[in-house]
Amino acid sequence: MSTPHDAMWEKLNLDLDAHAGLLQVLGKFYGDIYMSQTGRLKGMEYLDFVLSEVHGLRIKELQDAKAQGKKVIGTFCVFVPEEIVLAADGVQVGLCAGAEAGKDAAEKVLPRNTCALIKSFVGFKLSRLCPFIESCDLVVGETTCDGKKKAYEIFADYAPVYVMEIPQMKNACDRELWRAEVLRFKDKVEEVTGKSIMAPRLREAIRLVNDRRKVLQRLNRLRAASPVPISGRDALLINQISFYDDPVRFTEKIGHLCDELEEQVNSGKGIVPKETPRLMLSGCPMAVPNWKLPYVIESSGAVIIGEESCIGTRNIRDLVDESGESLDDLLNAIVDRYMRIDCACFTPNMERMDNIVSMARDLKADGVIHYGLSFCQPYAIEAFKVEKALKAADIPMLSIETDYSMEDVEQLKTRVEAFVEMVR
Ligand code: SF4
Ligand code: SF4
């Protein structure tokens, strides 16, 4: 079936047949997981619309921006400072990596025992399925884990890749390394965009990204209410969309949704009954359209009330200090904020344990499900420490490892249902 966007996708050199198949599967998946929910608020219609146009209108906006001379920069990790891209009048988009559509192509160039997220971004590129990747003037990788680091070497044969080095510890010398990387990134962004980054524009960009973080923090606070006013699936979708939607529009729309949620909370209404077990997710990022585990959990009698994850709290917990006068002050504020990220690629990373426990307490979680993507060593190994910290706080935890395939759904359901019964 032809669509108004076919010519644009053809121009982007997508494999049109495979892409049409992907959109069909995505549409059905979304219908089953999202549209089957009852009691959703009016504000969610915006998210449904954005998702329905994920490869359509948003890509058109990116093409229009490019036609005006703006550059599009794609990222895979919350370490890449969007503030710098915006200050150079660029557009930053998170590249999804949450589906297994290109898995066969990816396994031709990567070992099979590579995490699904890495296989996904390589597979999407090799199979010509992603209009976001094809719109990018630069794709920014990072040396967070070994799998990603080595995969970017392969990816670089197919796309314009630039890699940032991420420190693995948090000593003074690591901060210096990271500061040098932020400055090197600034130079690269200036080179790609042809714009010089000045203090006033950087301050404005910092405010813009902070405002988006603040509205998502507000959403998270509302989820502490009992009964909870929004499903975990919807909240995850909001976080996923935050990575590629226009930041100003997104912040405004989510602000309106939060107003609606606040009314619900004030009138004691929830998306599920008050006694529904409240579970928090913790671990690997769930890139769009990875909704498998949230669906399994919320169809097993529980509700998700928070995500300790990069597509969740890790990306929004800390703000950048906006008060700096000079360009140097503002860049230092960016360096410091991003050094606070508690990804499992750091060692010893004890702050993540503290953050998980306090988040679980603040959100009144009855239990935590630790989610690891198969073959992800940093999160799988750290899960033992997380369980220990939660046990000391008297919060039960279930550790799950899975990938993007649907083969283990029944098995996951059995384990999650048993955990839900245990915490109930
Ligand atoms: S989990 Fe670590 S590597 Fe992955 S997006 Fe988050 S910060 Fe980046
Ligand atoms: S999920 Fe784990 S293995 Fe996969 S890219 Fe992230 S840190 Fe690396």
PDB file of all heavy atoms in Angstrom, residues 8 50 84 86 109 153 156 178 187 255 259 266 269 306-307 347 382:
ATOM      1  N   MET A   8       9.720  10.243  -0.059  1.00  0.00           N
ATOM      2  CA  MET A   8      10.766  10.665   0.887  1.00  0.00           C
ATOM      3  C   MET A   8      11.617   9.451   1.307  1.00  0.00           C
ATOM      4  O   MET A   8      12.849   9.521   1.345  1.00  0.00           O
ATOM      5  CB  MET A   8      10.086  11.300   2.120  1.00  0.00           C
ATOM      6  CG  MET A   8      11.026  11.689   3.232  1.00  0.00           C
ATOM      7  SD  MET A   8      10.149  12.547   4.557  1.00  0.00           S
ATOM      8  CE  MET A   8       9.212  11.203   5.305  1.00  0.00           C
ATOM      9  N   VAL A  50       2.330  10.864  17.536  1.00  0.00           N
ATOM     10  CA  VAL A  50       3.765  10.938  17.250  1.00  0.00           C
ATOM     11  C   VAL A  50       4.278   9.565  16.838  1.00  0.00           C
ATOM     12  O   VAL A  50       5.034   9.423  15.876  1.00  0.00           O
ATOM     13  CB  VAL A  50       4.555  11.461  18.483  1.00  0.00           C
ATOM     14  CG1 VAL A  50       6.052  11.355  18.249  1.00  0.00           C
ATOM     15  CG2 VAL A  50       4.191  12.901  18.766  1.00  0.00           C
ATOM     16  N   ILE A  84      25.080  20.824  23.348  1.00  0.00           N
ATOM     17  CA  ILE A  84      26.099  21.317  22.412  1.00  0.00           C
ATOM     18  C   ILE A  84      25.562  21.297  20.979  1.00  0.00           C
ATOM     19  O   ILE A  84      25.776  22.228  20.205  1.00  0.00           O
ATOM     20  CB  ILE A  84      27.394  20.474  22.584  1.00  0.00           C
ATOM     21  CG1 ILE A  84      28.015  20.839  23.944  1.00  0.00           C
ATOM     22  CG2 ILE A  84      28.369  20.678  21.431  1.00  0.00           C
ATOM     23  CD1 ILE A  84      29.262  20.099  24.299  1.00  0.00           C
ATOM     24  N   LEU A  86      22.368  21.486  20.078  1.00  0.00           N
ATOM     25  CA  LEU A  86      21.347  22.532  19.938  1.00  0.00           C
ATOM     26  C   LEU A  86      21.974  23.920  19.861  1.00  0.00           C
ATOM     27  O   LEU A  86      21.496  24.786  19.127  1.00  0.00           O
ATOM     28  CB  LEU A  86      20.360  22.467  21.111  1.00  0.00           C
ATOM     29  CG  LEU A  86      19.474  21.212  21.170  1.00  0.00           C
ATOM     30  CD1 LEU A  86      18.664  21.190  22.458  1.00  0.00           C
ATOM     31  CD2 LEU A  86      18.532  21.136  19.972  1.00  0.00           C
ATOM     32  N   VAL A 109      27.802  -9.684  10.331  1.00  0.00           N
ATOM     33  CA  VAL A 109      29.035  -8.939  10.619  1.00  0.00           C
ATOM     34  C   VAL A 109      29.371  -8.887  12.112  1.00  0.00           C
ATOM     35  O   VAL A 109      30.411  -8.360  12.496  1.00  0.00           O
ATOM     36  CB  VAL A 109      28.949  -7.484  10.066  1.00  0.00           C
ATOM     37  CG1 VAL A 109      28.841  -7.474   8.558  1.00  0.00           C
ATOM     38  CG2 VAL A 109      27.794  -6.717  10.682  1.00  0.00           C
ATOM     39  N   GLU A 153      33.168   0.372  14.912  1.00  0.00           N
ATOM     40  CA  GLU A 153      34.212   0.249  13.880  1.00  0.00           C
ATOM     41  C   GLU A 153      33.602  -0.333  12.603  1.00  0.00           C
ATOM     42  O   GLU A 153      33.976   0.038  11.495  1.00  0.00           O
ATOM     43  CB  GLU A 153      35.337  -0.660  14.378  1.00  0.00           C
ATOM     44  CG  GLU A 153      36.127  -0.059  15.533  1.00  0.00           C
ATOM     45  CD  GLU A 153      37.130  -1.041  16.127  1.00  0.00           C
ATOM     46  OE1 GLU A 153      37.426  -2.079  15.499  1.00  0.00           O
ATOM     47  OE2 GLU A 153      37.619  -0.772  17.241  1.00  0.00           O
ATOM     48  N   ALA A 156      31.044   2.215  11.046  1.00  0.00           N
ATOM     49  CA  ALA A 156      31.707   3.348  10.369  1.00  0.00           C
ATOM     50  C   ALA A 156      31.922   3.101   8.881  1.00  0.00           C
ATOM     51  O   ALA A 156      32.154   4.035   8.121  1.00  0.00           O
ATOM     52  CB  ALA A 156      33.042   3.652  11.049  1.00  0.00           C
ATOM     53  N   TRP A 178      37.104  13.420  30.455  1.00  0.00           N
ATOM     54  CA  TRP A 178      35.749  13.689  29.949  1.00  0.00           C
ATOM     55  C   TRP A 178      35.627  15.142  29.478  1.00  0.00           C
ATOM     56  O   TRP A 178      35.017  15.431  28.456  1.00  0.00           O
ATOM     57  CB  TRP A 178      34.717  13.328  31.028  1.00  0.00           C
ATOM     58  CG  TRP A 178      33.294  13.638  30.658  1.00  0.00           C
ATOM     59  CD1 TRP A 178      32.428  14.407  31.355  1.00  0.00           C
ATOM     60  CD2 TRP A 178      32.581  13.187  29.492  1.00  0.00           C
ATOM     61  NE1 TRP A 178      31.219  14.477  30.712  1.00  0.00           N
ATOM     62  CE2 TRP A 178      31.288  13.735  29.551  1.00  0.00           C
ATOM     63  CE3 TRP A 178      32.905  12.392  28.396  1.00  0.00           C
ATOM     64  CZ2 TRP A 178      30.315  13.516  28.578  1.00  0.00           C
ATOM     65  CZ3 TRP A 178      31.945  12.163  27.410  1.00  0.00           C
ATOM     66  CH2 TRP A 178      30.664  12.724  27.512  1.00  0.00           C
ATOM     67  N   ASP A 187      34.116  20.846  19.144  1.00  0.00           N
ATOM     68  CA  ASP A 187      34.838  21.187  17.900  1.00  0.00           C
ATOM     69  C   ASP A 187      34.243  20.422  16.717  1.00  0.00           C
ATOM     70  O   ASP A 187      34.073  20.978  15.631  1.00  0.00           O
ATOM     71  CB  ASP A 187      36.327  20.825  18.025  1.00  0.00           C
ATOM     72  CG  ASP A 187      37.045  21.735  19.019  1.00  0.00           C
ATOM     73  OD1 ASP A 187      36.464  22.766  19.399  1.00  0.00           O
ATOM     74  OD2 ASP A 187      38.178  21.399  19.420  1.00  0.00           O
ATOM     75  N   GLY A 255       3.765  18.679  29.514  1.00  0.00           N
ATOM     76  CA  GLY A 255       3.276  19.566  30.587  1.00  0.00           C
ATOM     77  C   GLY A 255       1.757  19.485  30.679  1.00  0.00           C
ATOM     78  O   GLY A 255       1.192  19.371  31.777  1.00  0.00           O
ATOM     79  N   ASP A 259      -0.657  18.049  33.728  1.00  0.00           N
ATOM     80  CA  ASP A 259      -1.791  18.756  34.342  1.00  0.00           C
ATOM     81  C   ASP A 259      -2.976  17.798  34.510  1.00  0.00           C
ATOM     82  O   ASP A 259      -3.626  17.764  35.553  1.00  0.00           O
ATOM     83  CB  ASP A 259      -2.243  19.944  33.471  1.00  0.00           C
ATOM     84  CG  ASP A 259      -1.180  21.037  33.385  1.00  0.00           C
ATOM     85  OD1 ASP A 259      -0.284  21.049  34.249  1.00  0.00           O
ATOM     86  OD2 ASP A 259      -1.256  21.855  32.451  1.00  0.00           O
ATOM     87  N   ASN A 266      -5.311  14.279  42.262  1.00  0.00           N
ATOM     88  CA  ASN A 266      -6.047  15.058  43.265  1.00  0.00           C
ATOM     89  C   ASN A 266      -7.437  14.504  43.523  1.00  0.00           C
ATOM     90  O   ASN A 266      -7.975  14.651  44.616  1.00  0.00           O
ATOM     91  CB  ASN A 266      -6.138  16.530  42.847  1.00  0.00           C
ATOM     92  CG  ASN A 266      -4.778  17.181  42.917  1.00  0.00           C
ATOM     93  OD1 ASN A 266      -3.884  16.686  43.604  1.00  0.00           O
ATOM     94  ND2 ASN A 266      -4.589  18.284  42.193  1.00  0.00           N
ATOM     95  N   LYS A 269      -8.046   9.281  41.556  1.00  0.00           N
ATOM     96  CA  LYS A 269      -8.255   8.278  40.498  1.00  0.00           C
ATOM     97  C   LYS A 269      -6.919   7.727  39.997  1.00  0.00           C
ATOM     98  O   LYS A 269      -5.926   8.452  39.951  1.00  0.00           O
ATOM     99  CB  LYS A 269      -8.991   8.918  39.319  1.00  0.00           C
ATOM    100  CG  LYS A 269     -10.421   9.262  39.624  1.00  0.00           C
ATOM    101  CD  LYS A 269     -11.113   9.708  38.344  1.00  0.00           C
ATOM    102  CE  LYS A 269     -12.431  10.380  38.661  1.00  0.00           C
ATOM    103  NZ  LYS A 269     -12.717  11.480  37.755  1.00  0.00           N
ATOM    104  N   GLY A 306       8.130   3.142  37.756  1.00  0.00           N
ATOM    105  CA  GLY A 306       9.359   3.895  37.497  1.00  0.00           C
ATOM    106  C   GLY A 306      10.362   3.063  36.727  1.00  0.00           C
ATOM    107  O   GLY A 306      10.312   1.824  36.771  1.00  0.00           O
ATOM    108  N   GLU A 307      11.256   3.743  36.005  1.00  0.00           N
ATOM    109  CA  GLU A 307      12.300   3.060  35.243  1.00  0.00           C
ATOM    110  C   GLU A 307      13.653   3.624  35.656  1.00  0.00           C
ATOM    111  O   GLU A 307      13.958   4.778  35.322  1.00  0.00           O
ATOM    112  CB  GLU A 307      12.136   3.254  33.720  1.00  0.00           C
ATOM    113  CG  GLU A 307      10.841   2.759  33.126  1.00  0.00           C
ATOM    114  CD  GLU A 307       9.671   3.693  33.412  1.00  0.00           C
ATOM    115  OE1 GLU A 307       9.913   4.903  33.637  1.00  0.00           O
ATOM    116  OE2 GLU A 307       8.534   3.211  33.448  1.00  0.00           O
ATOM    117  N   THR A 347      33.058   1.824  37.209  1.00  0.00           N
ATOM    118  CA  THR A 347      33.398   1.019  38.367  1.00  0.00           C
ATOM    119  C   THR A 347      33.952   1.939  39.450  1.00  0.00           C
ATOM    120  O   THR A 347      34.668   2.872  39.105  1.00  0.00           O
ATOM    121  CB  THR A 347      34.408  -0.087  37.988  1.00  0.00           C
ATOM    122  OG1 THR A 347      34.645  -0.885  39.139  1.00  0.00           O
ATOM    123  CG2 THR A 347      35.743   0.464  37.495  1.00  0.00           C
ATOM    124  N   GLU A 382      26.362  -6.308  37.426  1.00  0.00           N
ATOM    125  CA  GLU A 382      25.952  -5.346  38.455  1.00  0.00           C
ATOM    126  C   GLU A 382      24.632  -5.749  39.126  1.00  0.00           C
ATOM    127  O   GLU A 382      24.333  -5.298  40.236  1.00  0.00           O
ATOM    128  CB  GLU A 382      25.863  -3.936  37.851  1.00  0.00           C
ATOM    129  CG  GLU A 382      26.049  -2.860  38.884  1.00  0.00           C
ATOM    130  CD  GLU A 382      26.491  -1.534  38.294  1.00  0.00           C
ATOM    131  OE1 GLU A 382      27.705  -1.332  38.117  1.00  0.00           O
ATOM    132  OE2 GLU A 382      25.620  -0.700  38.008  1.00  0.00           O
TER     133      GLU A 382
END
